[in-house]
Amino acid sequence: MAEFDMPFAARLSPHADRVRAHTRTWVRDMGMLNGSPWTEAFYDAADYGGFASLTHPTASFDDLQHISDWHTWGFYVSDAFLDGFLRPRNVVGGKAFVARLKSVLAGSAQPVNPAERGLADLVSRSTVDSEDVEHLTEYLDALLWELHNTAQGRVPDPIDLVEMRRRSIATELSAKLVRRSVGAELPAELLRNSTMRALIDSFGDVPALRQEIVGFDHTYATGGSTTSAVLAVRQFFDCEHDQAVSIVADLISARLRQIVSIIGELPSTAAEYDLSPEATAGLHRYVEALKSWLAGELLWTQRSGRFSPTPTRKFHSPTGLGTAAVLTR
């Protein structure tokens, strides 16, 4: 595992074990543990059910169950798309898979497979507005964008790749789940502000680019996809693999520094919009939750078996020298 900078502290929800048990039951009920792409052993080793407890450590038990199901559904769709369509370059099948999910999202089709059943179930118990539909559609379209690039053997331009990766990891939806989990009611005009947009873009870039490094051997080195930041940098700068990895890692560090800088600007941004005390407090909770999300996602990635050829580790709490300072409950 590569070393990554992280200026924020990770925390673990006190509901972690109960949420993990809930999510495992949910994925089994949806039919996601049928061996393709997930076996029960792989699911447990990847610890998808532990992800939300690290990224949303302050959420209530009820909220955390719901958040965990959404994130786990996203992981399942990404993994199913990789194995079912990206690796075999099955463009026709990939288009049909995405079209069906869009139909389920619109309520015009009955679910027939685990990905569709999961989405239908989530939509039935969520408040999904037009903005959510737009971002879910962008997420699904980004899967097809990657499939088309891979089928053509095309490595995207680094700038295009970074922008599309924000969609393919559902950055906007993740940020909205964070905002809702801490009850941050913020004016729409503030959320559209350039400073806030830069914050969310950087928030999405950190895990998206890190996944490009951590998952390289599992996904890209094995020919699963050509849509890789490491491959793009290697091609664009005509450099060796290790240098390309270093450049992407430096970009992740730069994004984290940008987040710290933006957070320092937010008091003046709040004053510019004349936020009420309640909204100002909500903005503070939102920013703190984004920081916790980033730190928790890194810790989960370091301990998850998702990209390991022989996944064995399940997250409970870190051990070893210095880890007491990393995780707080």
Side-chain angles (χ1 to χ4, degrees), residues 73 77 81 94-107 109 113-120 123 139-140 143:
W73 175 81
V77 170
F81 199 81
K95 286 182 176 179
F97 178 81
V98 166
R100 284 281 311 173
L101 285 172
K102 288 181 179 180
S103 295
V104 171
L105 179 61
N113 61 42
E116 294 172 12
R117 283 194 291 272
L119 179 59
V123 169
Y139 162 68
L140 295 171
L143 296 177

Side-chain angles (χ1 to χ4, degrees), residues 24 63 129 131 151 190 194 196 201 216 225 234-235 241 257 267 284 301 316:
R24 198 179 197 284
D63 285 348
D129 57 27
E131 183 181 59
L190 172 65
S194 59
M196 292 296 292
D201 285 347
F216 187 86
S225 173
R234 195 167 75 188
Q235 178 171 290
H241 175 80
R257 290 193 297 271
H284 175 74
T301 298
H316 288 288

Side-chain angles (χ1 to χ4, degrees), residues 69-144:
D69 292 347
W70 267 113
H71 279 298
T72 303
W73 175 81
F75 282 126
Y76 179 84
V77 170
S78 295
D79 289 353
F81 199 81
L82 171 64
D83 284 0
F85 309 109
L86 269 176
R87 290 192 187 282
R89 285 18 178 200
N90 183 357
V91 175
V92 173
K95 286 182 176 179
F97 178 81
V98 166
R100 284 281 311 173
L101 285 172
K102 288 181 179 180
S103 295
V104 171
L105 179 61
S108 59
Q110 291 298 312
V112 297
N113 61 42
E116 294 172 12
R117 283 194 291 272
L119 179 59
D121 180 71
L122 286 165
V123 169
S124 72
R125 52 193 175 92
S126 303
T127 303
V128 178
D129 57 27
S130 59
E131 183 181 59
D132 296 325
V133 172
E134 177 186 352
H135 294 319
L136 279 165
T137 300
E138 288 178 346
Y139 162 68
L140 295 171
D141 286 343
L143 296 177
L144 288 180

Side-chain angles (χ1 to χ4, degrees), residues 27-325:
V27 298
R28 185 187 294 115
D29 290 346
M30 296 300 107
M32 295 178 184
L33 299 181
N34 62 4
S36 179
W38 289 353
T39 63
E40 294 199 18
F42 175 79
Y43 172 84
D44 289 340
D47 195 24
Y48 292 112
F51 179 85
S53 296
L54 277 169
T55 54
H56 296 77
T58 63
S60 69
F61 176 58
D62 288 341
D63 285 348
L64 198 54
Q65 291 181 92
H66 193 59
I67 290 167
S68 181
D69 292 347
W70 267 113
H71 279 298
T72 303
W73 175 81
F75 282 126
Y76 179 84
V77 170
S78 295
D79 289 353
F81 199 81
L82 171 64
D83 284 0
F85 309 109
L86 269 176
R87 290 192 187 282
R89 285 18 178 200
N90 183 357
V91 175
V92 173
K95 286 182 176 179
F97 178 81
V98 166
R100 284 281 311 173
L101 285 172
K102 288 181 179 180
S103 295
V104 171
L105 179 61
S108 59
Q110 291 298 312
V112 297
N113 61 42
E116 294 172 12
R117 283 194 291 272
L119 179 59
D121 180 71
L122 286 165
V123 169
S124 72
R125 52 193 175 92
S126 303
T127 303
V128 178
D129 57 27
S130 59
E131 183 181 59
D132 296 325
V133 172
E134 177 186 352
H135 294 319
L136 279 165
T137 300
E138 288 178 346
Y139 162 68
L140 295 171
D141 286 343
L143 296 177
L144 288 180
W145 175 81
E146 183 167 1
L147 177 57
H148 283 296
N149 278 302
T150 300
Q152 297 166 13
R154 177 179 178 269
V155 178
D157 176 273
I159 295 176
D160 290 341
L161 190 146
V162 168
E163 181 177 345
M164 290 302 294
R165 265 291 171 257
R166 293 170 187 159
R167 299 182 180 185
S168 69
I169 69 160
T171 296
E172 296 288 347
L173 291 169
S174 293
K176 196 167 185 178
L177 283 172
V178 170
R179 198 163 65 247
R180 287 174 172 172
S181 74
V182 295
E185 297 291 337
L186 301 176
E189 58 271 22
L190 172 65
L191 295 173
R192 292 192 295 265
N193 173 274
S194 59
T195 299
M196 292 296 292
R197 292 305 318 149
L199 175 63
I200 299 308
D201 285 347
S202 296
F203 162 76
D205 289 347
V206 170
L209 292 170
R210 183 163 52 236
Q211 179 175 303
E212 303 283 81
I213 295 175
V214 175
F216 187 86
D217 289 343
H218 173 75
T219 304
Y220 308 107
T222 58
S225 173
T226 61
T227 309
S228 158
V230 174
L231 291 177
V233 167
R234 195 167 75 188
Q235 178 171 290
F236 187 79
F237 291 105
D238 190 23
C239 61
E240 297 298 322
H241 175 80
D242 288 350
Q243 186 178 1
V245 169
S246 179
I247 291 171
V248 175
D250 286 346
L251 182 56
I252 296 170
S253 296
R255 287 293 192 267
L256 284 167
R257 290 193 297 271
Q258 184 174 17
I259 289 171
V260 172
S261 176
I262 290 171
I263 290 173
E265 299 174 20
L266 289 182
S268 61
T269 302
E272 176 185 346
Y273 283 84
D274 194 24
L275 294 186
S276 67
E278 293 78 12
T280 300
L283 178 59
H284 175 74
R285 292 195 304 274
Y286 181 35
V287 169
E288 290 302 308
L290 289 174
K291 290 160 61 176
S292 289
W293 195 103
L294 289 168
E297 189 275 339
L298 172 59
L299 191 54
W300 178 84
T301 298
Q302 290 172 326
R303 299 186 65 85
S304 169
R306 185 185 188 196
F307 293 119
S308 171
T310 54
T312 56
R313 287 195 294 182
K314 179 177 180 179
F315 180 85
H316 288 288
S317 61
T319 58
L321 184 64
T323 54

